[in-house]
Amino acid sequence: MRGPAGDLRPKPAAIVRALRAWLAAAGDPAVRAALETLIPGARAVGVQVPALRAKAAELRRAHRELPIEAVADTMDALTASRVREEILVGTFWLARYGRKLVVLRWRRIAAWLKALDNWETCDQLAMGVAAPVLDADPAAARRLLPLTTARSSWTRRFALATASALNIKGRAHVADTLAVCAPLMADPAPEVRKAVGWALRQATPHDPGAVERFLREHADAAHPTVLREGAEKLPAASRAALSRRVAARSREVRRPKAQPRKPRRPPPRPIRPSSSRPRS
């Protein structure tokens, strides 16, 4: 970032170098090993979340003059590393801008998704940054729907985690959430199916009728785990009715597919012995 003449504000590269030096000193090999077990796929240094949040708060205080776009420039470098702690500090720092995040362009966030390779960085970026940005966007579902067909399961989960967070902290976007859930009801990835149930539970308090109708409509195609977890906050009678559909879907999922029968070959024709009588 280049400011006006005489601007002494630190550049993103300098902030990133200082942060990496701090992480190198704060990293704990034992914590790193535990984190990599708890969060499969994460490339960790070994610093726990409370310390990362405190560092993000310190960065916000120390660089109050930095506009959001400058922090986004820093986040570009942090996500490029694919290091868990760097991504989380950048996410927590941006999240401290709160409602001011609405000025952040969606394409900036979308560019960071390629760095997501675990549930922690995925969900934190979705909840702390993406949801506040899309809260005031009437095209929220249109921003998220293309992500539901991404090859990466973490990008698909990011769409759901964002849709889920659009129904917390005074936000209510039930229709957008259901639109994002619809194409992922039978997703092959467990981390995605788990997020579908999460998104439906968050939407239920705002419009339980809409969620119940949605689950009934998709019951024949949905994975049983999604039906069961998505119905958890519905009234007891509705859960009981859906539980029967869950039982039926579970039997269908467990039932082995019938193998096509191979056509039977006709038995070989017997070979007649040749006659010993000489030809005339």
Side-chain angles (χ1 to χ4, degrees):
M1 184 197 73
R2 185 178 297 277
D7 189 356
L8 299 178
R9 290 181 294 186
K11 304 298 186 289
I15 295 173
V16 170
R17 283 195 300 272
L19 175 60
R20 287 174 177 166
W22 176 80
L23 287 172
D28 183 331
V31 172
R32 174 183 176 179
L35 287 170
E36 290 178 346
T37 300
L38 178 65
I39 313 166
R43 180 184 174 190
V45 173
V47 182
Q48 295 180 336
V49 164
L52 300 176
R53 288 191 183 278
K55 187 63 177 178
E58 177 188 318
L59 287 168
R60 180 72 174 104
R61 289 192 302 269
H63 304 295
R64 286 192 178 277
E65 75 288 354
L66 284 182
I68 291 175
E69 285 295 335
V71 182
D73 291 342
T74 306
M75 185 66 167
D76 289 343
L78 297 176
T79 55
S81 73
R82 297 177 180 262
V83 173
R84 166 194 175 265
E85 286 82 356
E86 294 186 21
I87 296 171
L88 290 179
V89 169
T91 298
F92 296 152
W93 186 4
L94 280 168
R96 287 188 161 269
Y97 281 82
R99 294 182 179 179
K100 295 179 181 178
L101 282 170
V102 295
V103 303
L104 195 61
R105 294 182 180 276
W106 181 250
R107 67 171 178 265
R108 295 300 302 268
I109 299 172
W112 301 331
L113 303 188
K114 60 183 178 293
L116 303 180
D117 56 12
N118 64 83
W119 61 263
E120 187 183 33
T121 55
C122 171
D123 296 354
Q124 291 294 350
L125 183 63
M127 293 186 296
V129 179
V133 169
L134 292 185
D135 183 35
D137 189 343
R142 292 208 308 271
R143 306 284 191 195
L144 295 173
L145 278 172
L147 305 181
T148 64
T149 60
R151 178 177 296 182
S152 168
S153 63
W154 298 114
T155 299
R156 301 197 302 275
R157 179 178 170 116
F158 174 85
L160 291 161
T162 303
S164 177
L166 285 172
N167 293 292
I168 62 174
K169 297 185 177 180
R171 300 185 286 258
H173 295 260
V174 175
D176 291 332
T177 299
L178 298 182
V180 174
C181 288
L184 298 170
M185 294 293 284
D187 195 274
E191 62 269 18
V192 176
R193 297 197 301 268
K194 194 81 173 175
V196 177
W198 171 27
L200 292 172
R201 290 195 302 275
Q202 295 289 28
T204 299
H206 299 289
D207 194 341
V211 173
E212 181 178 358
R213 289 191 297 273
F214 176 84
L215 285 170
R216 289 181 182 277
E217 179 184 347
H218 292 84
D220 291 337
H223 192 279
T225 301
V226 171
L227 291 177
R228 182 173 57 254
E229 295 184 358
E232 281 183 3
K233 289 191 177 182
L234 289 175
S238 301
R239 290 200 310 274
L242 279 165
S243 68
R244 292 190 287 273
R245 303 291 290 272
V246 171
R249 285 293 294 137
S250 296
R251 288 192 295 271
E252 291 175 13
V253 170
R254 289 195 298 267
R255 186 182 300 135
K257 293 183 179 179
Q259 297 296 323
R261 296 182 64 180
K262 294 182 179 180
R264 295 182 62 184
R265 286 185 173 185
R269 297 179 63 180
I271 302 174
R272 294 180 178 179
S274 59
S275 175
S276 59
R277 187 174 57 184
R279 296 179 181 179
S280 58

